[in-house]
Amino acid sequence: EAVVQQFRPAQVGESFGPTWETCWFKVELSIPMAWAGQEVHFFWESDGEGMVWRDGQPVQGLTKEGEKTSYILTRSLKESEPHSLTLYVELACNGLFGAGKGSMIAPPDPDRRVTLSKAELVVFNRDVYELLVDLEILLDMAQLLGEENQRSFQALYTANQMVNVCDVTDPSSFPAARDLAAAIFSQRNGESQHTIHAMGHCHIDSAWLWPYEETIRKCARSWVTVVNLMEHNPELTFACSQLGLIPVLWQAQQFEWVRTQYPGLYARIQDFVAKGQFVPVGGTWVEMDGNLPSGESMVRQFLQGQQFFQEQFGRICSEFWLPDTFGYSAQLPQLMRGCGIRRFLTQKLSWNLVNSFPHHTFFWEGIDGSQVLTHFPPGDSYGMHGRVEEVLKTVKQNKDKGRVNHSAFLFGFGDGGGGPTQKMLDRMKRMSDTDGLPRVQTSTPDQLFSVLEKESSQLCTWVGELFLELHNGTYTTQAQIKKGNRECERILHDVEVLSTLAVAQDSEFQYPASQLQRLWRLLLLNQFHDVLPGSCIQLVVEDALQYYTEIRRDGAQLQEEAVQSLCRDLLQPKAQSTQSSLVLNTLPWERTEVISRPGPDGTETLALVTVPSMGYAPVQEPFVPPHPVTVRKQEDGSITMENGVIAVCLDTMGHLTSLRLLDSGRESVPDGCYANQFALFDDVPLYWDAWDVMDYHLQTRKPVTTLLKPLEITLPGGLRGSARFSLQVGKSSTLTQEIILDAMCPYLRFLTQVEWKEAHTFLKVEFPVQVRSTNATYEIQFGHLQRPTHWNTSWDWARFEVWAHKWLDLSEHGFGVALLNDCKYGASAHRNVLSLSL
């Protein structure tokens, strides 16, 4: 498509754009005959990310920020080789990290243009390059090994001799200089020296500072460069945790499109997978957030991921590879073991703001006692460059010295893609077994973990969650994404329950397996660790919300089809029958609840129904509750509601001033305190704006006190009583809440709508309760977790803002209060105050 376009002349220094545009360049080259025997490169430098195409195939990624600015045309020009050829360069008008205006994480500048600064045909002098790499390694050894180490002086004097021997005007002097360096590099280590397992790596965020579509090209640019390196460096191994991205992003129909666009590249990747150099790792569909997806979502991440690896590469992953998400649920070890994974690698806890995590290699134990062998690369990065400083840091920082003598070293440009470079490999070749430096060997995840397993007898065990003491704001950022995730998880659960029941009852019903897989994959894609947390640009948010809309629409259709099959006879209108409704319960326990249904005249009517576990029941005759809800307005404007189970009192501001359990008379709200208290906090983090909320925000608490509409009764009682009020929040936001008490219901409901227009402001709702406990309980995936309600230690107060799923609970012997939600994740419980971040 690009080749047949009309091209115009372009000049070095010219700018192209705007942001996210694509420009194609036709590059016609003529190599001088006088360059016979020379190594010839096409050199290209611009602010944008580029791809070289030759003979209809992608052959080299070009990214200045990723130190990839040349394409090797020939390593030694022969007469028989073509001296004239045509290349095409595909230029994306965005950088490796998007197009932030003013800073990397600022919103993209829509009018940014990229400049072509160099386009040249050059001779590459490899002898000079090799000499420079030798000198770089020696000078780093001299500087970094320290004055107490004789090897630093040996390296220094060798470098000095090389300078003396080398005459830059006489290339014949270079080999003698290189021989001096080789003598140092060939002096070997002792047997006890630490071994570093070097693996090529290229972390590519599925979407972050760029939209989903750009990621496909980032993958192609990065991986074509990797396979080129493999062809000339057979020792190179590359751990690829995002291989699923090609089909992940656009599912089956788009998989064919990508394979058509990059068929040669995909075939080359599969060839190197077979050779054991290109190593698929990960085990999940995408590198998802480690906290917020439900238990079922996490199971599907592993299920879809492991199925993909089995189908494409003939094996499942034994390592879970999740280097860059914002904490790790205590349920993950059990899920990993259930999905055939017994090893785990990450490095994100090195970002802790308060406490330094005490281990780099350890056993991680989940809430059921399941254990996985866990390794954090001690260099605290998944984007090393193969420098002396980095390998020394890897050994120095290792907190499990003496217990294990091996560690991982992941090298290559990451986050925005890029991957390893030839210079990184050349640096590490010189350090493979050089006295004074740790051993550096190219390795694979399996080789690393296999040797760690043999050394594991003295390893420590960490029990419970791996909590990241940073990025606590991601539990709340982008409320619509959080709501979409929770709703779509529920929709897909309900569709599967109803479809399964329909299959069991009706042999002609077709279970919608392919449709469900497509919807699940959309949901799983949106659980990527910069999408669900909300730490992505607006373009990505818009894509994510569109995917949620699609899941809601198609899920509702699948649900309707299952219900029609399951309840066909009950749904047929019968002569002389009274108006009735059919109520379904997709949860595994019997429920008695008040429902709202359309009446004959179109108005909403209420009914109290009892529906069996995973079943349905028709509603015909009104069911009168044994104790109707009573609602009374007091002289001071406050409103009381009672239903025989609980009694509540609300003041005119909507505060909950009393919540009593009637059978015991126990009061939940302490004297003089207000529950359902909205509060604003300043939200000005140190740097990561969408990611962080800092502990000092707690010092800026301002209760919301501006009343727009005082509390008024909206439903007078019977089956349901309710009252509504409105507040002004901050300078220009409004909040409307309806507080509902249903007959026979043991809890009070709060329907809250906020028109949010504030910046750098955090809204929470607080519930002080008359319960004393040193721990609060929070729902997590398939279980719960206890966290302290005090700040005794730095580990305690670093959890000033935590995550939970549908509930958090504060209980003492015989009594407790729980706070439930349908779309929130950020929460806290300090002393006796339960707080939900809105």
Side-chain angles (χ1 to χ4, degrees):
E1 187 180 335
V3 169
V4 299
Q5 300 300 312
Q6 289 290 327
F7 289 85
R8 66 165 178 83
Q11 302 294 324
V12 169
E14 197 173 340
S15 294
F16 304 90
T19 307
W20 311 125
E21 287 294 306
T22 299
C23 298
W24 284 85
F25 296 82
K26 183 178 183 179
V27 183
E28 295 175 334
L29 301 172
S30 182
I31 305 173
M33 298 297 287
W35 288 4
Q38 305 269 36
E39 182 171 336
V40 183
H41 292 197
F42 166 56
F43 190 82
W44 175 281
E45 193 173 283
S46 76
D47 303 318
E49 292 190 272
M51 172 81 93
V52 181
W53 291 75
R54 184 175 182 175
D55 300 328
Q57 293 297 326
V59 290
Q60 176 66 48
L62 298 171
T63 309
K64 183 170 70 172
E65 297 154 291
E67 295 182 6
K68 296 176 184 66
T69 51
S70 66
Y71 167 56
I72 301 174
L73 295 168
T74 175
R75 292 179 184 268
S76 179
L77 183 64
K78 300 180 180 64
E79 264 192 53
S80 58
E81 290 184 87
H83 284 52
S84 296
L85 65 155
T86 299
L87 304 176
Y88 291 86
V89 175
E90 176 189 13
L91 181 67
C93 295
N94 52 269
L96 194 64
F97 292 97
K101 190 171 186 176
S103 79
M104 181 182 78
I105 61 170
D109 178 354
D111 300 315
R112 181 169 167 179
R113 300 179 71 80
V114 299
T115 302
L116 175 59
S117 46
K118 287 183 182 176
E120 299 170 351
L121 192 62
V122 298
V123 171
F124 184 80
N125 192 323
R126 193 157 290 277
D127 290 336
V128 172
Y129 164 82
E130 298 288 0
L131 195 59
L132 289 171
V133 177
D134 286 343
L135 280 166
E136 178 194 313
I137 299 297
L138 289 170
L139 291 172
D140 281 351
M141 289 175 66
Q143 286 182 307
L144 299 168
L145 287 177
E147 290 188 10
E148 69 281 0
N149 191 325
Q150 68 168 3
R151 288 291 279 172
S152 70
F153 288 95
Q154 291 172 357
L156 178 64
Y157 287 124
T158 299
N160 189 59
Q161 280 181 283
M162 290 173 67
V163 173
N164 293 338
V165 166
C166 182
D167 179 354
V168 294
T169 65
D170 180 11
S172 67
S173 68
F174 297 171
R178 291 213 60 209
D179 288 344
L180 292 168
I184 282 278
F185 298 143
S186 63
Q187 291 175 327
R188 299 303 177 213
N189 273 301
E191 289 185 15
S192 66
Q193 185 59 276
H194 188 89
T195 300
I196 285 174
H197 292 248
M199 296 168 245
H201 193 250
C202 178
H203 180 68
I204 303 175
D205 285 321
S206 301
W208 179 31
L209 304 174
W210 50 86
Y212 281 127
E213 296 126 87
E214 187 58 32
T215 308
I216 293 177
R217 298 200 294 182
K218 283 181 174 287
C219 292
R221 287 190 286 262
S222 303
W223 298 342
V224 75
T225 305
V226 168
V227 295
N228 283 347
L229 286 172
M230 286 177 174
E231 286 170 351
H232 297 284
N233 301 270
E235 76 283 359
L236 170 62
T237 58
F238 180 72
C240 184
S241 61
Q242 294 276 7
L243 236 175
L245 277 178
I246 289 180
V248 159
L249 289 178
W250 308 112
Q251 285 68 60
Q253 75 275 14
Q254 299 286 338
F255 191 6
E256 288 307 310
W257 172 76
V258 175
R259 286 214 287 195
T260 302
Q261 182 124 347
Y262 305 114
L265 170 60
Y266 197 77
R268 291 168 74 195
I269 288 172
Q270 289 186 309
D271 184 40
F272 282 108
V273 169
K275 290 177 181 176
Q277 287 180 260
F278 205 108
V279 184
V281 294
T284 51
W285 190 240
V286 296
E287 289 186 5
M288 74 281 192
D289 181 83
N291 299 322
L292 308 187
S294 69
E296 187 60 37
S297 288
M298 282 193 169
V299 169
R300 302 301 174 111
Q301 289 283 359
F302 283 107
L303 177 66
Q304 296 284 345
Q306 293 287 53
Q307 277 184 340
F308 171 74
F309 286 113
Q310 181 68 50
E311 289 167 6
Q312 293 291 315
F313 308 112
R315 65 175 185 84
I316 63 171
C317 294
S318 57
E319 302 89 17
F320 181 32
W321 198 274
L322 194 61
D324 190 35
T325 192
F326 312 140
Y328 304 88
S329 167
Q331 182 57 280
L332 276 168
Q334 182 180 5
L335 296 179
M336 283 186 239
R337 293 303 295 261
C339 298
I341 292 173
R342 61 184 191 278
R343 302 157 166 179
F344 175 49
L345 181 141
T346 186
Q347 62 80 49
K348 197 64 177 186
L349 262 66
S350 66
W351 286 46
N352 271 9
L353 203 59
V354 182
N355 298 286
S356 177
F357 194 79
H359 301 293
H360 282 104
T361 307
F362 58 99
F363 285 105
W364 180 25
E365 185 174 303
I367 60 174
D368 74 320
S370 296
Q371 291 190 347
V372 290
L373 177 60
T374 300
H375 182 68
F376 298 173
D380 294 339
S381 172
Y382 50 71
M384 296 294 201
H385 292 175
R387 298 183 182 277
V388 171
E389 179 181 13
E390 295 167 344
V391 299
L392 293 175
K393 178 183 177 184
T394 294
V395 177
K396 182 180 179 181
Q397 290 196 169
N398 190 343
K399 292 173 181 169
D400 297 282
K401 295 184 190 79
R403 296 191 180 99
V404 290
N405 205 25
H406 295 257
S407 57
F409 186 89
L410 308 179
F411 65 95
F413 288 94
D415 291 337
T421 67
Q422 184 65 52
K423 182 174 275 190
M424 295 175 190
L425 290 167
D426 292 337
R427 288 172 181 144
M428 289 184 291
K429 285 173 186 174
R430 289 158 171 80
M431 295 187 280
S432 61
D433 193 2
T434 296
D435 186 27
L437 298 175
R439 277 192 192 85
V440 180
Q441 67 180 47
T442 54
S443 186
T444 65
D446 182 62
Q447 289 168 0
L448 168 68
F449 277 104
S450 293
V451 72
L452 290 177
E453 284 166 351
K454 291 175 184 172
E455 295 181 338
S456 65
S457 61
Q458 297 184 68
L459 291 178
C460 300
T461 299
W462 181 270
V463 179
E465 68 180 329
L466 296 174
F467 185 85
L468 179 65
E469 296 172 355
L470 193 70
H471 295 353
N472 319 55
T474 59
Y475 316 145
T476 305
T477 297
Q478 294 290 354
Q480 290 289 356
I481 284 182
K482 305 296 193 288
K483 185 178 178 71
N485 180 71
R486 184 79 64 80
E487 284 186 359
C488 290
E489 285 177 336
R490 191 194 72 243
I491 287 166
L492 294 180
H493 166 272
D494 288 355
V495 171
E496 291 186 335
V497 167
L498 294 168
S499 298
T500 303
L501 293 174
V503 165
Q505 182 175 293
D506 181 358
S507 60
E508 293 184 5
F509 180 79
Q510 288 290 314
Y511 187 85
S514 60
Q515 299 99 306
L516 277 166
Q517 168 143 303
R518 184 181 67 83
L519 297 181
W520 265 112
R521 288 182 173 183
L522 279 181
L523 180 60
L524 300 181
L525 177 61
N526 272 357
Q527 290 172 349
F528 180 75
H529 66 253
D530 278 310
V531 180
L532 179 53
S535 50
C536 52
I537 61 172
Q538 183 66 22
L539 275 175
V540 179
V541 173
E542 290 167 3
D543 283 344
L545 296 180
Q546 180 57 44
Y547 292 161
Y548 290 136
T549 299
E550 194 173 325
I551 296 168
R552 288 184 182 105
R553 182 191 67 228
D554 294 356
Q557 178 63 33
L558 293 175
Q559 187 170 297
E560 178 66 22
E561 290 169 7
V563 170
Q564 289 293 335
S565 172
L566 183 64
C567 310
R568 186 179 296 115
D569 295 339
L570 292 169
L571 293 170
Q572 297 298 327
K574 295 183 174 62
Q576 291 93 38
S577 70
T578 57
Q579 177 79 16
S580 68
S581 301
L582 190 68
V583 183
L584 295 101
N585 174 18
T586 55
L587 295 179
W589 58 85
E590 182 181 271
R591 294 159 66 190
T592 298
E593 292 181 17
V594 175
I595 63 156
S596 176
R597 56 176 180 157
D601 57 354
T603 58
E604 293 289 305
T605 62
L606 301 175
L608 183 62
V609 298
T610 297
V611 187
S613 158
M614 295 282 191
Y616 50 83
V619 183
Q620 290 177 320
E621 297 304 318
F623 173 25
V624 179
H627 195 298
V629 179
T630 58
V631 183
R632 294 187 180 91
K633 187 165 187 175
Q634 309 300 317
E635 288 183 5
D636 61 0
S638 64
I639 291 173
T640 60
M641 294 192 281
E642 188 209 307
N643 68 354
V645 182
I646 57 176
V648 303
C649 183
L650 305 162
D651 71 9
T652 55
M653 290 280 296
H655 296 133
L656 181 63
T657 56
S658 174
L659 171 61
R660 280 186 304 117
L661 196 57
L662 290 175
D663 65 350
S664 66
R666 177 73 185 255
E667 175 59 60
S668 303
V669 181
D671 287 343
C673 292
Y674 297 129
N676 196 37
Q677 170 67 65
F678 293 94
L680 287 173
F681 299 80
D682 294 346
D683 179 26
V684 186
L686 296 175
Y687 177 68
W688 297 99
D689 204 346
W691 290 256
D692 283 349
V693 56
M694 313 308 294
D695 58 345
Y696 52 75
H697 86 282
L698 295 168
Q699 301 169 21
T700 66
R701 179 180 179 273
K702 296 177 281 292
V704 175
T705 57
T706 306
L707 190 62
L708 295 178
K709 293 180 182 176
L711 190 72
E712 290 291 345
I713 295 172
T714 47
L715 285 174
L719 289 180
R720 174 172 291 169
S722 64
R724 183 184 290 133
F725 66 97
S726 296
L727 301 172
Q728 180 175 324
V729 180
K731 292 181 178 176
S732 45
S733 301
T734 56
L735 181 152
T736 300
Q737 188 179 72
E738 187 167 17
I739 303 174
I740 299 168
L741 183 63
D742 283 345
M744 299 179 65
C745 185
Y747 54 81
L748 189 62
R749 285 196 294 143
F750 303 85
L751 291 184
T752 313
Q753 287 191 310
V754 183
E755 185 71 26
W756 186 247
K757 298 179 181 178
E758 308 305 299
H760 293 108
T761 306
F762 200 170
L763 176 65
K764 303 184 185 185
V765 63
E766 301 167 342
F767 289 82
V769 294
Q770 201 155 288
V771 178
R772 181 165 177 78
S773 176
T774 54
N775 288 292
T777 307
Y778 301 81
E779 190 203 22
I780 66 170
Q781 298 85 356
F782 297 133
H784 59 264
L785 190 70
Q786 290 198 322
R787 300 183 180 111
T789 56
H790 54 75
W791 293 344
N792 282 359
T793 71
S794 59
W795 293 88
D796 299 332
W797 68 256
R799 302 180 193 211
F800 59 88
E801 175 81 5
V802 297
W803 62 273
H805 282 190
K806 295 188 288 292
W807 55 263
L808 62 151
D809 168 272
L810 191 65
S811 289
E812 59 188 46
H813 179 69
F815 186 80
V817 179
L819 182 58
L820 291 77
N821 75 84
D822 65 355
C823 62
K824 298 296 170 188
Y825 295 92
S828 64
H830 183 49
R831 302 187 71 84
N832 70 324
V833 179
L834 300 176
S835 180
L836 193 65
S837 299
L838 305 179

